[in-house]
Amino acid sequence: MERTGQHFTLGNHTTLVEFILIGFSDVPNLQGFLFAIFLIIYIVILTGNSLIIMITNIDPSLQIPMYYFLRNFSFLEICYVSVTVPRLLADLCRQNRSISFLACAFQMYFFVTLGATECFILTAMAYDRYVAICNPLLYPVIMNHRLCMQLAAACWITGILVPIGLIYKIFSSHFCKSNELNHFFCDVPPVVQPVCGDTFMIEMLIYVIATIVVAVPFVLILASYGKIISTILKLPSATGRAKAFSTCSSHLMVVSLFFGSANIVYMEPKSTHSTGVDKYFSLFYTILIPMFNPIIYCLRNKDVMVALGKFLQFIQGSTKKQIVP
């Protein structure tokens, strides 16, 4: 048995042991600039989502199902970006951008798992808004703490289980093409491209999972908002309509951004994929959207803004007490 760089050679068979993530090495003069930009974005994502988790935990006025799901979503966002961005930052600082076969499989699994769970949580959030606006009198009864915990647990468990078959099928396949991936992380489309032979089963699994994770939740969310909008338009008061729309607008914006980008990447046929385009488009749904989410939820939600103001005043007051003897 002889090891040759990224492969083990045994007789006439070659087994891939690592991939090379090309990332943004095609723009060598921008490595330092990109590192600074992505680091700032990562810090903003961590800070913004951590603040949402803290204020929705400690503020009594935010102890309702809407913010329970928002806490879950914010925690997911932190985990989601942490699967890809730290590796991207490290690769921008070094020449060797290889990633082992096993590490690539784990990165893909956690990325798909967290992305799928986010889709399910967004669907649960849409159901919460549907009950709140279409059945306001029964809202406390239907959306009780037990149901919220069950919905969140179902989202997490389903997200964990859904990608297992796909990841196993991809990484048990034979790779005979270049081990270089024109991407900055082990996403599904670029890793499938070097697979040799018939990839029909893999593509079918991708479409089935994309349907379960993206298409079905998106249709359920659209159906929920169809009923929500119909109910809001029937409200007699303009103030009531405006208030009802404001409670949904931030969630609707996040859904549009997240599901729109996911549909483009994972529902297109493999033959239409361009790795160069996918790589830059992936920045949108892996880094930019997670950065916008806490901004959208804070700026477009008065309750969150008020709670954030009280939290910052509390921190400022505590700091002054520590400084003044």
Side-chain angles (χ1 to χ4, degrees), residues 62-237:
L62 303 183
Q63 304 307 306
I64 59 174
M66 176 180 176
Y67 299 109
Y68 173 79
F69 291 118
L70 182 56
R71 278 198 299 276
N72 273 269
F73 187 72
S74 294
F75 177 71
L76 274 166
E77 289 283 76
I78 291 171
C79 297
Y80 181 70
V81 296
S82 296
V83 170
T84 57
V85 177
R87 169 85 202 195
L88 170 60
L89 293 173
D91 284 346
L92 286 169
C93 297
R94 61 189 176 193
Q95 294 297 318
N96 180 15
R97 299 179 180 188
S98 62
I99 182 170
S100 72
F101 197 74
L102 186 61
C104 187
F106 273 111
Q107 186 183 50
M108 184 186 292
Y109 172 75
F110 284 114
F111 178 77
V112 176
T113 290
L114 293 165
T117 308
E118 284 199 6
C119 291
F120 298 139
I121 289 288
L122 285 170
T123 309
M125 292 169 79
Y127 176 68
D128 169 72
R129 291 298 83 206
Y130 163 76
V131 176
I133 292 172
C134 299
N135 296 286
L137 297 178
L138 294 176
Y139 180 70
V141 178
I142 297 173
M143 295 304 295
N144 55 68
H145 185 64
R146 182 180 177 184
L147 179 63
C148 291
M149 290 186 69
Q150 289 173 340
L151 285 173
C155 293
W156 278 93
I157 292 168
T158 309
I160 289 167
L161 295 177
V162 161
I164 292 174
L166 174 63
I167 304 302
Y168 174 78
K169 186 65 179 174
I170 291 174
F171 287 91
S172 62
S173 301
H174 180 54
F175 295 85
C176 62
K177 301 173 186 176
S178 171
N179 72 320
E180 292 187 346
L181 304 179
N182 188 14
H183 217 285
F184 59 91
F185 73 100
C186 290
D187 201 0
V188 175
V191 175
V192 171
Q193 286 198 340
V195 173
C196 299
D198 188 10
T199 59
F200 177 78
M201 275 302 297
I202 293 176
E203 290 186 55
M204 285 302 99
L205 278 172
I206 292 171
Y207 289 134
V208 168
I209 291 173
T211 301
I212 294 170
V213 169
V214 180
V216 172
F218 189 57
V219 169
L220 291 173
I221 291 170
L222 287 180
S224 297
Y225 273 102
K227 292 289 289 182
I228 287 168
I229 292 169
S230 174
T231 302
I232 290 173
L233 292 176
K234 292 176 184 176
L235 293 175
S237 166

Side-chain angles (χ1 to χ4, degrees), residues 260-321:
S261 57
N263 270 307
I264 292 171
V265 172
Y266 295 106
M267 297 299 284
E268 341 182 286
K270 179 187 171 185
S271 57
T272 64
H273 275 286
S274 167
T275 52
V277 173
D278 279 355
K279 176 176 67 176
Y280 289 99
F281 191 77
S282 295
L283 287 173
F284 186 69
Y285 66 85
T286 58
I287 298 176
L288 293 181
I289 291 177
M291 180 184 70
F292 291 141
N293 287 347
I295 297 172
I296 291 170
Y297 274 110
C298 285
L299 294 182
R300 297 192 63 84
N301 190 305
K302 290 181 180 179
D303 292 336
V304 174
M305 285 296 290
V306 170
L308 180 60
K310 289 192 289 186
F311 177 74
L312 293 176
Q313 286 177 356
F314 172 77
I315 295 296
Q316 187 179 18
S318 300
T319 305
K320 286 181 179 178
K321 286 180 182 178

